[in-house]
Amino acid sequence: MAAARLGRGEPEAALEAARRAVELDPRAGAGAEWGYRLASLAFERLGRDAEAVAAAEEAVRLAPGSWSARLRLGAALRRIPGRWKESRVQAARAARYAPEEPDPHVLVGDLSLLRGDYAQARTAYRHALRRLDDHPGARINLGLAMLRWERPRRHHDPAWPVDPRETGRARRALEVWSRQVRVLLAVALLAVAAAAFGPALVAAAGAGGSGGRRTRSGGRRQGRRGGGARRRPGDHSSAGPAGQALAVRPRHARP
């Protein structure tokens, strides 16, 4: 009943049915494991990932050799940040327990694709397709792996035991810090340059201004010296072409 309700898209009703099945005999071995697996899938459909992991872990505890319980736990752990390695371990165990089943290989491929290991993802999807040629998930994701469609995050490795939101915040904080450091370095460089070259530039500017004033005053003095003696009233002498003084005789004077 729980599986049928999950198939109809009724996770809440499926969860209630799985709970009733478990409550009838929680120690019923394989039957209880099946109920916990269905409860885990229903929790996952409802977005209650932590509860989905807890139910899947209980299924594995009840049937540690069940490949389907390992597969369910691996799929549930995949949705929990920082638990990629645990998910990969459970998927590998499921594939080892049931090598003829395609779904464990598909999960191995999905986890490899998530990390950007395209070669491993292609290998896993091909293993799944050898077991079930028309497996839709394996075919679609094999194409994505060949196209390198899923780009891994540069600031986060799924294998790290940390939430990617934390590494994202750390990356943004580092970017802000690096911009501030660059601004401070630029200001410090300008201050050092001003301290090193400022006095020399001021002195050079002052020397250039006083030299110009001296040049102008010297030119005025030289002009006064080169102008010759001032003419006195009644002095009719003039300078000739060669700089010699020529006496101008009055018209009424006789030789």
Side-chain angles (χ1 to χ4, degrees):
M1 182 183 297
R5 289 179 176 176
L6 271 177
R8 292 196 299 268
E10 301 174 359
E12 293 181 355
L15 178 60
E16 186 60 32
R19 279 175 172 170
R20 285 199 299 269
V22 170
E23 288 171 357
L24 289 176
D25 190 357
R27 297 180 301 277
E33 174 265 334
W34 178 82
Y36 279 111
R37 279 196 291 114
L38 286 178
S40 173
L41 186 56
F43 279 128
E44 185 178 293
R45 298 278 180 85
L46 292 169
R48 296 158 66 176
D49 295 334
E51 293 170 281
V53 170
E57 288 175 336
E58 185 63 22
V60 169
R61 188 187 67 81
L62 292 171
S66 170
W67 71 268
S68 53
R70 297 283 179 176
L71 181 65
R72 175 89 287 276
L73 179 56
L77 287 169
R78 176 191 174 186
R79 299 169 62 90
I80 304 297
R83 303 191 71 175
W84 182 93
K85 284 186 177 180
E86 298 173 68
S87 177
R88 181 68 174 78
V89 167
Q90 296 300 328
R93 286 182 180 175
R96 187 167 65 251
Y97 293 167
E100 73 284 355
E101 294 291 335
D103 289 338
H105 298 286
V106 172
L107 182 57
V108 171
D110 290 347
L111 292 169
S112 301
L113 188 63
L114 183 64
R115 198 181 183 194
D117 189 351
Y118 303 110
Q120 179 62 40
R122 289 193 295 267
T123 300
Y125 293 137
R126 288 188 178 113
H127 283 324
L129 290 172
R130 290 193 192 101
R131 288 147 180 81
L132 184 62
D133 184 62
D134 60 347
H135 193 292
R139 282 202 171 276
I140 293 172
N141 290 346
L142 176 59
L144 294 178
M146 295 180 72
L147 291 172
R148 297 173 177 260
W149 191 266
E150 289 285 343
R151 296 292 181 183
R153 301 176 181 179
R154 294 182 179 179
H155 65 278
H156 182 78
D157 187 338
W160 294 347
V162 64
D163 192 328
R165 290 172 295 185
E166 295 295 331
T167 56
R169 282 193 286 267
R171 177 178 60 87
R172 289 190 293 273
L174 284 174
E175 288 176 351
V176 172
W177 177 80
S178 64
R179 286 196 293 268
Q180 292 175 344
V181 167
R182 287 196 294 268
V183 171
L184 290 175
L185 286 176
V187 172
L189 182 60
L190 288 175
V192 169
F197 301 107
L201 292 175
V202 171
S210 61
R213 288 194 296 272
R214 285 195 298 269
T215 301
R216 288 194 296 272
S217 61
R220 286 195 295 270
R221 287 194 296 272
Q222 186 176 2
R224 287 196 296 269
R225 288 195 299 269
R230 293 181 181 178
R231 293 181 182 178
R232 290 189 296 273
D235 188 359
H236 300 286
S237 63
S238 62
Q244 297 176 353
L246 298 178
V248 180
R249 295 180 180 179
R251 292 180 180 178
H252 58 272
R254 293 182 180 177

